[in-house]
Amino acid sequence: MPQYRKYMTQALELAHKGAGWVNPNPLVGTVVVRDGEILAAGYHDRYRGPHAERMAFDYADKHGIDMHGATVIDTLEPCCHVGSQPACTDLILSHGITRVVVGSIDPNPIVAGKGLRILEENGVEVVYDVMRAECDAINRHFFHYITTGMGVRMFFWTVMRPVQGFSCIASGFASPVIS
């Protein structure tokens, strides 16, 4: 897996560009490579905007880049449902991608491993957990939100304040009560 670390690092750097713009969605970066050459890249840049995979594939399509036989490096499992955007798994399959390398599994119950299963069932090789700690870390707020139904600020207001003696100030951040 060391051969994927360089590209996953680049995907993580791209994902960070969406910080502050994609909430409540996750930060996601994608790099598409074949034979050591980066063919396209993308990141989720705004709420309800194109997903990272869509951005990369749109670039490739616009520039006439053939993606057949390429590898997609994704910081987060590709989605497999239609919401404000089409399913990224469909996009990956329609472009002839042969391998997907993923950092984190999406904990959202409508995805949660299903996206990778769909790809594997359609002959795409999946490589799991490349730089997982780093990929999980960039989405800790999203993971908390998706697994509890509460944003981090709401968590402090409803749980930490009464239990631990925290007070939420006007900005929404928690601070300890000092007496």
Side-chain angles (χ1 to χ4, degrees):
M1 286 197 253
Q3 70 271 29
Y4 302 125
R5 289 184 64 80
K6 174 175 98 172
Y7 301 117
M8 187 62 80
T9 299
Q10 291 173 315
L12 283 161
E13 289 170 4
L14 288 168
H16 279 286
K17 291 183 174 188
W21 297 100
V22 301
N23 294 341
N25 296 125
L27 296 172
V28 183
T30 298
V31 176
V32 185
V33 299
R34 184 177 52 225
D35 300 325
E37 177 187 358
I38 295 176
L39 303 177
Y43 65 98
H44 187 48
D45 66 344
R46 67 188 179 283
Y47 177 66
R48 294 196 182 272
H51 291 179
E53 299 89 344
R54 167 88 37 210
M55 184 184 277
F57 283 97
D58 283 352
Y59 173 87
D61 291 344
K62 181 179 176 184
H63 291 88
I65 300 169
D66 178 20
M67 305 292 259
H68 282 83
T71 297
V72 169
I73 314 289
D74 253 337
T75 58
L76 185 69
E77 172 183 9
C79 69
C80 56
H81 61 91
V82 176
S84 61
Q85 297 294 315
C88 292
T89 52
D90 293 344
L91 186 65
I92 289 167
L93 293 171
S94 70
H95 280 79
I97 298 301
T98 56
R99 180 180 301 118
V100 172
V101 176
V102 67
S104 297
I105 305 297
D106 191 336
N108 187 333
I110 59 177
V111 182
K114 294 178 197 129
L116 298 175
R117 268 195 311 279
I118 288 168
L119 295 173
E120 287 175 324
E121 288 168 0
N122 283 279
V124 176
E125 177 190 352
V126 176
V127 178
Y128 292 83
D129 299 333
V130 173
M131 296 179 66
R132 182 173 183 171
E134 295 90 336
C135 292
D136 284 355
I138 66 166
N139 281 311
R140 71 184 192 283
H141 292 103
F142 170 73
F143 289 178
H144 176 80
Y145 167 73
I146 223 60
T147 58
T148 67
M150 288 188 279
V152 173
R153 291 178 183 172
M154 182 58 72
F155 173 77
F156 277 109
W157 178 254
T158 60
V159 178
M160 293 303 291
R161 184 176 158 266
V163 173
Q164 298 291 336
F166 277 77
S167 170
C168 289
I169 56 178
S171 69
F173 290 101
S175 61
V177 175
I178 302 171
S179 42

